[in-house]
Amino acid sequence: MDNKARFIQDVLDGKWDLVLKQIAKLSLEKETLFDIYEQMMFELVENNESSTAQVILRKSNVLRTMLEESPDRYQAIEDYLDQRPSSVNIEERRKTLADKLEKEINTLPNSRLLTLLGQSLKWQQHQGILLPGVSYDLFKGTVDMQKAEQDIFANQHYVSIKFPGKKTNAECAAFSRNGQYLATGSSDGFIEIWNYLTGKIRRDLAYQANDRLMAMDKAVLAVRFSSDNQLLASGSLDGKIWIWKVKTGLCEKRMAAGHSEAITSLGFSKDNTQLVSGSQDHLVRIHGLKSGKVLKEFRGHTSFVNWVLFSSDSTRILSASSDGTVKIWDAKSTNCLHTIQPQPKIEKDQLNPMGGLGNASVQCIIPLPKNPDVYLVCNKTNTLYILSIRGQIVKTFSHNKKLGSDFITAAVSPQGDYIYGIGEDSVMYCFQFTTGSLIGHVKVTEREALGMVHHPQANVVVVFDNTGHVLFYKAP
C-alpha cells in the first residue's frame, strides 16, 4: 500500500470507492471484508441509495460469501434494506472499522522492500534462474541481455542430462538469443527448457514445475527461438510445425500441413512475423506466423533439406541439403541466386575424398556473430567452410584426418574467435578463426554425437548423443 494513513482517512471519510480500490490489492481477513461491505451497505441506505445497495448485494462476491458462511449477518443487511428500522451511528462505526484496519494492515519501509527484492534476485542466481552479473530491470520485470564473454575453448565437461529410457534422446537443441533458455526436442515428442548452469529442468516455469511439458505427437526434430525470446517454434517427424509461448508453455499456433515429410530445421525472420522451414520433402517454405499459411515455397534441392535460416535482413533464405549444396534464395521472388558445393581442397595426385560418388551432405549453416552476412558451413568432410552471402567460400578449416572423422555438426563462439566442429569420431575440434589453426580437441562422448549448440554469450557448448545424453562443456 502506497499510503496507509491516507487509506485509514478514506475509511473515516466514507470514501468507499477509493477504499474498494485499495482493498482489492490487500489480503484482508474475511471478517474484515464483511465489516467493510456491511458498513458501505448501511451508508448507501442512509443516503437513500437503496437501488445501488440492492445491486451490490446481489452481485458482490464478498457478500455472496457472507450469504454462504454468515447467513444471519447477510439477512440483517437485507432487512435493513427493506425496513430501515433505525439510523446507525455512522461516525462511530467508521471509527471502529478504521481502528481494526489500522491494526491489521502492516506496511514496510521502501528500504525493506528493496532488501527483499535483492534477496529474491540472489536466490534466483543461486538456483541458476538468473545468471551471475546479469542486470535485472525491476520496473520492467525483464533481464538485460548478458554481455558476451571473451572467447575461450570450452573443453571442460561439467554436467550431463540423461533422458529416461533406452530409446529416448534429444534430437535437437537451441539456445534463446538472450541465453536464458536452452530448449531440447526429443525422440518421444517432448520439448523441455533447461537451466544450462545446473543441467536441471527450469522449475521457475510453472508448467514445467507442474509436469505439464510442451509436447508434439511425434519426435521433435527442430526447435528455434524467436529473436525476442518470447516464442519457440518446433517441428516434428510428421511434418507439423507448432509455435509455443515460452513463459506459459501454451501452443499459440498449429501448422498441421507444414510439410509432407519430417521438419528438419526452422528459423524466424528478423521481425518474428515469418518462419522458414526445411524438410525431408526437399522443400523450403516460408509461413506467416499470424495466419499459419504457407507464403512462399522454394524448389530446387534434390534431397533432404537439413538446415534453413533467414539472412540478417530477411531478404535472403539460406538452405543446406543432403544433395551436397548450399542454396541462397531471394526471399521475395523465391529465385535461387547462388548454388554452392563446398569441397575440401584436393592436393595433386590425391584421391577425391568423396570417391567420385557425389557431394557431401551439408549439415548446417551458422551465422558469424560479428558479421551476420558471413556463415559457417559444415558438410560431411574433414573441412569447415566460411561462406559469404554472395556465395563465395572465403576461408576453410580442416583437421586433415582422412577417415572416420568427417564433421557432422558445427558451432561458433560468442565473439566469433573460435570455430567448433564435431566429427564422426565424436571428437570436438576447435579452430582459431583468424589463423585457421587447430588449437585443441576433446572427445565429447563415447557414443555417436548427433548435434551441438553454443551459448550465445557464455563459453558453454552443449552436445547431445544417440543414447540420451546431453553433455555440457565450459571453459576451464
Side-chain angles (χ1 to χ4, degrees), residues 421-438:
I422 295 180
E424 294 171 322
D425 53 3
S426 294
V427 172
M428 179 169 66
Y429 301 87
C430 181
F431 301 90
Q432 212 284 331
F433 180 82
T434 304
T435 64
S437 59
L438 178 66

Side-chain angles (χ1 to χ4, degrees), residues 221-240:
L221 305 185
V223 288
R224 190 72 58 201
F225 286 94
S226 58
S227 61
D228 61 5
N229 315 298
Q230 300 298 310
L231 300 176
L232 177 70
S234 62
S236 62
L237 184 66
D238 55 0
K240 296 177 182 177

Side-chain angles (χ1 to χ4, degrees), residues 295-312:
L295 305 179
K296 305 281 184 181
E297 185 173 274
F298 304 80
R299 293 176 175 267
H301 283 299
T302 57
S303 188
F304 299 164
V305 177
N306 298 322
W307 203 273
V308 290
L309 71 160
F310 279 95
S311 62
S312 60

